């Protein structure tokens, strides 16, 4: 069981501000975000506060196949931009997700989006985990992360059933750091 870390909405808002500053400093003007649901939805909405561009969405599901000792994990589309809206043709898009973990989901989404008639495809993740990656990001795509973290299991506030208990865990973690 990996160690865990808790982040509050406020922590995340600060990391998003940092992420937005990096995107803006890159000099590429993005026309829209494509959020990868569900984890990318709230980060994309927070990013919009800084970037002021519309949010489109795709959703995938990642199935762990334990019976196969993890060799046949599968990823599938729950919802996709199919067909790609006409107004996105040739436009620069920023693909937004909450975490760069194994990169399996990211690689799948980026390779699918590369088949479309888009301009620059940038990648913006809230948390970039430092670990060996299973997926490979297509070469040459601008990449931005809000916060680099160790390979810990991240507890996000939007998954909390009891947000006060979640915030207390986050505070305890900071106090012991
Ligand atoms: P990646 O390409 O972005 O690196 O993601 P990867 O396929 O490795 O992730 C598989 C699923 O595991 C994703 O959920 C991702 O959000 C989730 N995940 C990975 N690391 C963590 C973590 O530390 N904490 C939490 N809470 N989730 C993590 P998904 O299938 O996209 O579902 P959803 O939760 O985004 O809807
Ligand atoms: Mg996700």
């Amino acid at each position: 069981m990996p160690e865990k870390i808790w982040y509050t909405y406020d922590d995340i808002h600060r990391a998003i501000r940092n992420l937005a500053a990096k995107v803006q400093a890159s000099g590429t003007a993005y026309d829209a975000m494509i959020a990868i649901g569900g984890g990318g939805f709230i980060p994309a909405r927070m990013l919009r506060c800084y970037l002021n561009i519309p949010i489109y969405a795709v959703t995938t599901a990642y199935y762990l196949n334990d019976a196969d000792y993890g060799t046949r994990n599968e990823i599938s589309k729950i919802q996709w931009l199919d067909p790609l809206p006409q107004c996105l043709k040739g436009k620069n898009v920023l693909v937004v997700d909450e975490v760069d973990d194994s990169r399996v989901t990211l690689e799948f989404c980026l390779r699918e989006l590369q088949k479309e008639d888009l301009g620059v495809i940038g990648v913006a993740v809230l948390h970039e985990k430092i670990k060996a990656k299973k997926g490979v990001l297509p070469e040459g795509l601008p990449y931005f992360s809000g916060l680099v973290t160790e390979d810990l299991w991240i507890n996000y506030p939007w998954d909390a059933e009891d947000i006060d208990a979640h915030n207390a865990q986050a505070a305890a973690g900071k106090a012991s750091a």
Side-chain angles (χ1 to χ4, degrees):
M1 207 43 194
E3 277 187 67
K4 297 178 185 173
I5 187 164
W6 283 258
Y7 287 101
T8 66
Y9 281 111
D10 287 1
D11 296 327
I12 287 170
H13 208 109
R14 289 183 203 104
I16 291 282
R17 185 174 62 179
N18 191 33
L19 177 59
K22 290 180 186 177
V23 173
Q24 284 164 328
S26 75
T28 297
Y30 289 92
D31 300 294
M33 285 182 264
I34 299 180
I36 304 177
F41 290 161
I42 296 175
R45 176 59 186 88
M46 286 173 156
L47 257 183
R48 200 186 72 185
C49 157
Y50 301 101
L51 301 182
N52 264 308
I53 52 177
I55 303 169
Y56 292 77
V58 296
T59 302
T60 57
Y62 185 60
Y63 300 103
L64 278 177
N65 191 339
D66 290 338
D68 251 359
Y69 304 102
T71 53
R72 269 191 39 223
N73 297 341
E74 285 188 10
I75 184 151
S76 66
K77 294 176 180 174
I78 303 285
Q79 175 264 319
W80 204 256
L81 294 169
D82 191 13
L84 189 82
Q86 197 62 31
C87 59
L88 283 183
K89 296 262 162 88
K91 301 289 185 183
N92 298 336
V93 297
L94 190 63
V95 175
V96 179
D97 208 348
E98 89 279 40
V99 60
D100 170 354
D101 183 45
S102 73
R103 293 195 168 160
V104 171
T105 301
L106 276 175
E107 177 177 5
F108 174 83
C109 291
L110 293 169
R111 294 207 188 277
E112 286 298 300
L113 289 169
Q114 280 189 314
K115 295 175 188 167
E116 303 287 351
D117 172 20
L118 287 162
V120 174
I121 302 176
V123 186
V125 294
L126 172 60
H127 290 125
E128 174 186 3
K129 277 195 216 174
I130 299 303
K131 63 188 286 184
K133 305 289 179 180
K134 221 165 140 185
V136 179
L137 301 188
E139 254 178 62
L141 303 193
Y143 175 94
F144 311 94
S145 69
L147 201 65
V148 175
T149 65
E150 291 173 68
D151 187 15
L152 304 173
W153 182 259
I154 301 168
N155 288 292
Y156 287 102
W158 47 81
D159 285 324
E161 284 181 19
D162 180 341
I163 192 66
D164 299 307
H166 176 97
N167 288 344
Q169 288 275 17
K174 282 180 193 128
S176 70

